[in-house]
């Protein structure tokens, strides 16, 4: 389970509330020595509405119900993290007006062929109702269960 200080968690919650009623997204950077320790949060633009506007058949959902991160943004953040001796340890996104869960679409994006693309990463999901954070959980791949397992944070 991710070790994250309250101040950093509050930054993530502030982003979830700021982007409401759309889904917010971002990266948690940290170290993996002796456990997964969060050090920094970086919010990124949810480009889902841009993708939807360009190709609504391929991207039928809007930012209110989906998120997408520009791969170039992820690459730049990962490169910068490595230069600081850090790694991307979690990907954050919010669920406006929905509870905390790791949807089939989330699983499909994280593990499109049944195994995770990034097995060392967790997924931090924050639910937001009426613009206020309600709860959050981390979802981490379990090699035993061959599925993402929920760890409650809030």
């Amino acid at each position: 389970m991710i070790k994250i200080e309250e101040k950093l968690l509050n930054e993530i919650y502030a982003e979830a509330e700021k982007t409401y009623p759309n889904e917010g997204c971002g990266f948690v950077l940290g170290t993996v020595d002796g456990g997964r320790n969060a050090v920094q949060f970086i919010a990124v633009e949810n480009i889902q509405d841009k993708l939807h506007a360009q190709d609504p058949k391929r991207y039928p959902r809007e930012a209110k119900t989906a998120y997408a991160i520009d791969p170039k943004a992820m690459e730049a953040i990962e490169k910068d993290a490595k230069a600081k001796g850090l790694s991307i340890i979690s990907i954050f996104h919010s669920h406006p007006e929905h509870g905390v869960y790791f949807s089939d679409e989330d699983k499909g994006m994280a593990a499109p062929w049944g195994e995770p693309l990034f097995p060392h990463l967790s997924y931090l999901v924050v639910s937001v109702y009426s613009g206020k954070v309600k709860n959050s959980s981390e979802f981490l791949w379990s090699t035993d269960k061959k599925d993402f397992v929920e760890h409650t944070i809030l």
Side-chain angles (χ1 to χ4, degrees):
M1 187 168 160
I2 193 168
K3 295 178 186 169
I4 188 166
E5 292 186 14
E6 186 174 346
K7 180 181 179 286
L8 194 58
L9 197 54
N10 286 338
E11 288 179 32
I12 295 168
Y13 292 165
E15 180 66 15
E17 291 176 354
K18 184 179 120 187
T19 56
Y20 179 89
N22 293 330
E23 291 195 11
C25 51
F27 298 98
V28 178
L29 309 182
T31 60
V32 291
D33 296 334
R36 301 171 50 256
N37 302 297
V39 173
Q40 182 181 2
F41 169 66
I42 299 174
V44 295
E45 178 186 10
N46 179 354
I47 64 168
Q48 186 67 33
D49 279 344
K50 290 180 182 175
L51 296 174
H52 176 75
Q54 292 170 358
D55 190 348
K57 285 188 177 183
R58 183 172 179 191
Y59 302 99
R61 294 167 57 185
E62 296 177 326
K64 289 182 180 182
T65 58
Y67 78 99
I69 297 172
D70 184 339
K72 291 179 183 175
M74 183 174 181
E75 182 180 12
I77 289 168
E78 184 174 31
K79 183 178 178 182
D80 188 48
K82 282 184 181 177
K84 295 176 182 174
L86 301 173
S87 302
I88 295 173
I89 61 170
S90 189
I91 297 175
F92 146 79
H93 75 280
S94 60
H95 284 171
E97 302 302 330
H98 288 84
V100 169
Y101 59 91
F102 206 55
S103 70
D104 288 342
E105 183 160 338
D106 291 335
K107 290 177 185 179
M109 290 173 51
W113 300 282
E115 294 285 332
L117 293 174
F118 308 105
H120 61 288
L121 289 183
S122 68
Y123 294 84
L124 183 65
V125 181
V126 177
S127 73
V128 183
Y129 285 87
S130 300
K132 297 294 179 190
V133 169
K134 183 173 182 184
N135 54 13
S136 61
S137 289
E138 175 189 36
F139 295 85
L140 189 61
W141 180 255
S142 167
T143 53
D144 294 336
K145 295 183 178 180
K146 297 287 184 197
D147 199 358
F148 290 90
V149 176
E150 182 176 4
H151 301 273
T152 302
I153 293 176
L154 176 68

